[in-house]
Amino acid sequence: MSASSSSASPSSPLFIAALIVLWYSSNIGVLLLNKLLLSNYGFRFPIFLTMCHMSACALLSYFSVAFLKVFPLQQIRSRSQLLRIATLGVVFCASVVGGNISLRYLPVSFNQAVGATTPFFTAVFAYLVTFKREAWVTYAALVPVVTGVMIASGGEPSFHLYGFIMCISATAARAFKSVLQGILLSSEGEKLNSMNLLLYMSPIAVLVLLPATLLMEPDVLEVTLSLGMKHRFMWLLLCINSVAAYLANLSNFLVTKHTSALTLQVLGNAKGAVAVVISILLFKNPVTFIGIGGYTMTVMGVIAYGEAKRRLK
């Protein structure tokens, strides 16, 4: 085998490094572009924005499986499985819409601090829904996760109560979706990988979001066309943002496939910190030492939680 072909192989360090760069850039890119559109461009339509994301995911998922064959197609085996996927799709919609709404009112740095509490909500829902208990040391690691966000909230100059509630709701919905996914698609015959799940969830999400957009954001087309005339690159940003939303899911799947879930968890912890730094530099939102300290405590708690779970497996 030649050196050039080995360097491009799926297991090569160069290939994995490229995947990690794609994962970082797409995840952070979506977050920053959401904030740019919803806050700086006056594009006040988080539900429509989510529908654009889901439409791109539906189209690009089909293109990836039908033409590029990036991942093999898994068939839906029963009506009950379809109903379960639809349930996950609705919960997923709620988490994305809530997160996008929160970005209208909160800086990205604080949004990421609140989002880091996902393990706390996952542990709570796992206990309430499945009665699954973790070791006490695992629960102890969640104390700094919650305490850090409380400290960060008190030290956040741009704190907005409604934005905070929507951000917490989005984080809880994201955790609830992961717990539900484990329950609803746990049988061996009905397991779907994340990309096939996205392939089937995305069209369902669009069907849910379309009437919600028309009902709750009735002037979206008129205002969006007006903003498109005012800001030359708004349509381009909207398209790039929607494609990046799909690439974030695709790279998430590929990084997990070619490395491990633990690697993705470590990268995720670092991603939040990178997103915070970039957003502060880009949007110039004020930060305090109390806020930074609270966020740092939350991240340390998330790392300790992940390490505790890994060791007790």
Side-chain angles (χ1 to χ4, degrees), residues 90 134 136 157 301 307:
V90 172
E134 303 282 359
W136 71 267
E307 184 64 18

Side-chain angles (χ1 to χ4, degrees), residues 24-64:
Y24 262 88
S25 56
S26 57
N27 274 274
I28 295 175
V30 167
L31 189 65
L32 297 179
L33 284 172
N34 284 351
K35 179 63 178 177
L36 191 66
L37 286 165
L38 292 166
S39 293
N40 293 41
Y41 272 70
F43 182 82
R44 49 183 174 77
F45 305 109
I47 301 175
F48 177 70
L49 181 62
T50 306
M51 192 179 78
C52 290
H53 290 177
M54 292 298 100
S55 299
C57 286
L59 291 171
L60 293 173
S61 290
Y62 178 76
F63 182 76
S64 295

